[in-house]
Amino acid sequence: MLSSLTHRHVEVFRAVMTAGSVTGAAAALSTSQPTVSRELSRMESLLRLALFDRVRGRLQPTAQAYALFDEVQRSYAGLERVADTALRLRQFTQGQLSLACLPAFAHALLPGACARFQAAHPGVSVSINPYESPLLEERLAAQAHDLGVAEHDGALAGAQALLLLELDEVAVLPAGHPLAARRRLAASDFAGQAFVSFHPRDRYRQRVDKVFAEAGVDRRLAAETDNAVAVCAMVRHGLGLAIVNPLTALALAGESAGIVARPLAFQIPFRVFAVRPAHRPGNPLVARFQVALAAECAELGQAVARAWGGG
């Protein structure tokens, strides 16, 4: 007959164990002492266990009662955690947010945006998942993350893109390179120079190659890799010049870092989009993170303008 055991029986048992008496339990439960005694007796009958010894009119818990109480306490602790979590979620003080982005943004944009966001929502866990294109677009189209940060809107299937920032690509050079004396680099300045490129499938690689082809400028391909941080590392080690996004350049460039950045005399636009999967279950934290992301983009845009006159 254990199936006849009810939550009320467990509640009465817990109250008696916690209060130490039937009188205290009745007061805690806003009920009568006879009701508490009757529910306890019923529980013992259902469990076929002696939970209390009656000693001079008082209840003395048995070893079985203490063992059962430990389990009851664990159960109640779990329920309290559920209730507390629900409260925190209502107050936006706890939860989870899953983000997808290009590797460059995991390095140069999202750390600052996350710091802004968690200053207001310190209990929220943010998961950052870097993917190269086109895997990033595939993951966003599959509704696999709450929010994406991409360089292209590209008519993503099942997603909505919002432009947050628009700048220009910049050149990066090893510190001490002769071209570092120039305030701005023209396409002709790259003629005959060793150059570090992205892989041929990369959209920026294709744009850069087109600019130099139209200008009739030949470079020497020294190395190619798949993300801006790796490109800058190769430039720092003297493998050649490169053209990268201004956020990565801002984060990594400096004489002391062994790499400098210069604006270009020609334009290769660089854009940042917040991409929101259209069919993923709504997460109220997404809009709040987008506010932090937009604020970080605005501040970085101003920093780029100060550094290179807007690129």
Side-chain angles (χ1 to χ4, degrees):
M1 296 295 291
L2 289 182
S3 60
S4 298
L5 187 69
T6 66
H7 184 272
R8 179 61 174 175
H9 294 133
V10 176
E11 184 181 42
V12 168
F13 169 71
R14 181 173 182 260
V16 172
M17 293 293 290
T18 302
S21 68
V22 170
T23 302
L29 297 174
S30 300
T31 190
S32 66
Q33 294 182 41
T35 297
V36 170
S37 296
R38 183 172 62 252
E39 294 293 347
L40 278 182
S41 296
R42 178 63 177 161
M43 183 176 181
E44 287 180 309
S45 176
L46 289 170
L47 297 178
R48 298 179 183 178
L49 287 175
L51 298 176
F52 297 93
D53 292 327
R54 277 69 177 175
V55 180
R56 292 189 293 275
R58 295 181 60 86
L59 297 181
Q60 181 67 42
T62 64
Q64 290 91 337
Y66 282 114
L68 184 62
F69 184 58
D70 286 342
E71 187 62 34
V72 168
Q73 287 293 83
R74 282 192 291 270
S75 175
Y76 269 81
L79 289 172
E80 289 168 358
R81 283 195 298 271
V82 169
D84 186 57
T85 298
L87 176 62
R88 293 187 180 191
L89 286 171
R90 287 200 303 273
Q91 297 174 339
F92 298 106
T93 58
Q94 182 172 312
Q96 292 183 336
L97 198 59
S98 177
L99 309 178
C101 66
L102 292 169
F105 291 140
H107 173 265
L109 172 59
L110 285 176
C114 287
R116 291 175 183 272
F117 176 74
Q118 290 195 330
H121 309 292
V124 177
S125 171
V126 179
S127 172
I128 298 175
N129 304 272
Y131 303 105
E132 292 292 350
S133 183
L135 181 57
L136 172 63
E137 290 79 7
E138 292 173 4
R139 295 289 293 170
L140 292 174
Q143 317 292 304
H145 300 280
D146 295 311
L147 186 68
V149 185
E151 292 176 328
H152 310 280
D153 57 351
L156 288 171
Q160 301 169 341
L162 173 67
L163 179 63
L164 296 179
L165 181 64
E166 184 168 6
L167 300 167
D168 288 316
E169 298 271 294
V170 299
V172 287
L173 310 82
H177 191 282
L179 287 177
R182 305 280 181 93
R183 294 187 60 184
R184 187 179 298 268
L185 298 185
S188 58
D189 292 323
F190 291 83
Q193 295 288 338
F195 197 85
V196 180
S197 277
F198 293 98
H199 286 306
R201 65 178 179 274
D202 184 89
R203 296 177 184 177
Y204 282 106
R205 163 70 180 270
Q206 295 164 9
R207 290 187 182 183
V208 168
D209 286 352
K210 182 179 179 181
V211 166
F212 287 117
E214 291 177 346
V217 172
D218 291 326
R219 301 154 292 154
R220 293 187 292 110
L221 179 62
E224 57 186 21
T225 186
D226 62 357
N227 68 74
V229 174
V231 167
C232 289
M234 291 184 177
V235 171
R236 180 183 297 110
H237 282 82
L239 272 71
L241 315 182
I243 294 175
V244 300
N245 77 78
L247 301 188
T248 298
L250 186 69
L252 298 180
E255 293 286 347
S256 61
I259 183 173
V260 296
R262 295 291 181 266
L264 298 166
F266 51 94
Q267 290 186 323
I268 299 179
F270 166 78
R271 301 179 179 92
V272 179
F273 290 89
V275 182
R276 195 164 182 173
H279 308 300
R280 185 175 171 88
N283 184 336
L285 295 166
V286 172
R288 295 183 177 226
F289 189 87
Q290 281 191 239
V291 172
L293 185 60
E296 184 68 11
C297 281
E299 182 169 307
L300 288 173
Q302 294 171 2
V304 167
R306 289 192 298 269
W308 306 302

